Amino acid sequence: NAGVTQTPKFQVLKTGQSMTLQCAQDMNHEYMSWYRQDPGMGLRLIHYSVGAGITDQGEVPNGYNVSRSTTEDFPLRLLSAAPSQTSVYFCASSYSQGSVYGYTFGSGTRLTVV
Amino acid sequence: GQQLNQSPQSMFIQEGEDVSMNCTSSSIFNTWLWYKQDPGEGPVLLIALYKAGELTSNGRLTAQFGITRKDSFLNISASIPSDVGIYFCAGLNYGGSQGNLIFGKGTKLSVKP
């Protein structure tokens, strides 16, 4: 059982380039989300999905797109990379059983935009 | 949006000492979660709290969900070197926002020189 798998682990982009960060989970979780982590800022929500075909914006969505064609995958696309998007990106998946939620995070993608 | 104030931002520990950190919010949460993050890894869940007033332990860790639902604390007893890392509180409201986590900015635990 792999949990939440993120690829790549490290990436360097030039300003203006586009790329896709991959996230896959094998736990059949309905909810998936993307966070970015910056020094001193904690984790901030970018986009989330409550199920296949449904996505919504979080706190900091500008410059990012997502889609959810399957339950397992939730890719994050950077349309035109900017230095302000240098960060560590975490994907998470979660289930809900009434009021009980289980969140599992991936190990992160460290992105540098130069 | 909702914000969590987590304190202290950093602290130094000596092996055997007890450690305490807390989170406060301007609005209520239905669930409080405490995570630990090691360098180069994602956050790992330590304790989840689901009811106001709830006190829950996980080994040397104890956390409480405040009565007002606007705060939570985490205590670590008899700290050991592997406790070093960054601890995050997170609040969760299930329902309309479909259970999205709001994170504090973290408390960094380091070993006393």
Side-chain angles (χ1 to χ4, degrees):
Chain A
N1 198 346
V4 178
T5 302
Q6 290 185 236
T7 56
K9 289 191 179 297
F10 301 94
Q11 183 70 51
V12 179
L13 288 179
K14 293 182 179 179
T15 297
Q17 284 185 315
S18 63
M19 79 159 293
T20 300
L21 280 61
Q22 301 292 342
C23 176
Q25 53 96 3
D26 61 0
M27 298 171 283
N28 201 33
H29 285 173
E30 296 176 351
Y31 305 146
M32 295 187 75
S33 48
W34 277 100
Y35 292 82
R36 61 176 288 174
Q37 185 177 28
D38 302 298
M41 295 294 293
L43 283 80
R44 292 181 293 169
L45 182 65
I46 304 172
H47 285 284
Y48 65 97
S49 168
V50 301
I54 306 170
T55 64
D56 207 344
Q57 296 180 349
E59 180 186 356
V60 287
N62 291 340
Y64 307 94
N65 271 357
V66 292
S67 60
R68 184 94 180 271
S69 56
T70 67
T71 299
E72 294 77 20
D73 300 299
F74 190 43
L76 178 72
R77 280 182 284 276
L78 278 70
L79 309 173
S80 177
S84 61
Q85 294 179 305
T86 294
S87 187
V88 182
Y89 292 85
F90 289 100
C91 177
S93 74
S94 61
Y95 66 86
S96 67
Q97 291 179 341
S99 62
V100 176
Y101 281 70
Y103 265 80
T104 302
F105 283 84
S107 58
T109 295
R110 284 141 189 84
L111 176 67
T112 301
V113 182
V114 297
Chain B
Q2 291 174 307
Q3 291 185 337
L4 297 184
N5 297 311
Q6 186 173 349
S7 64
Q9 288 185 328
S10 63
M11 57 193 311
F12 291 90
I13 59 172
Q14 198 157 36
E15 189 169 355
E17 286 182 339
D18 294 344
V19 171
S20 184
M21 61 192 78
N22 68 83
C23 267
T24 60
S25 171
S26 58
S27 53
I28 63 174
F29 286 104
N30 293 318
T31 300
W32 283 92
L33 305 169
W34 285 92
Y35 285 87
K36 183 191 179 202
Q37 186 179 26
D38 291 323
E41 298 296 328
V44 174
L45 183 65
L46 299 173
I47 291 180
L49 302 159
Y50 301 108
K51 295 181 182 178
E54 179 181 356
L55 184 71
T56 298
S57 293
N58 179 7
R60 293 178 296 105
L61 278 62
T62 301
Q64 186 160 29
F65 192 146
I67 290 292
T68 65
R69 294 166 65 191
K70 292 184 178 181
D71 63 312
S72 177
F73 72 75
L74 174 71
N75 287 340
I76 305 173
S77 62
S79 58
I80 61 178
S82 62
D83 290 335
V84 164
I86 302 177
Y87 292 78
F88 291 98
C89 62
L92 176 64
N93 281 325
Y94 44 88
S97 63
Q98 297 295 330
N100 292 315
L101 293 174
I102 307 296
F103 281 87
K105 294 183 179 181
T107 295
K108 184 177 181 180
L109 256 59
S110 306
V111 177
K112 275 183 184 175

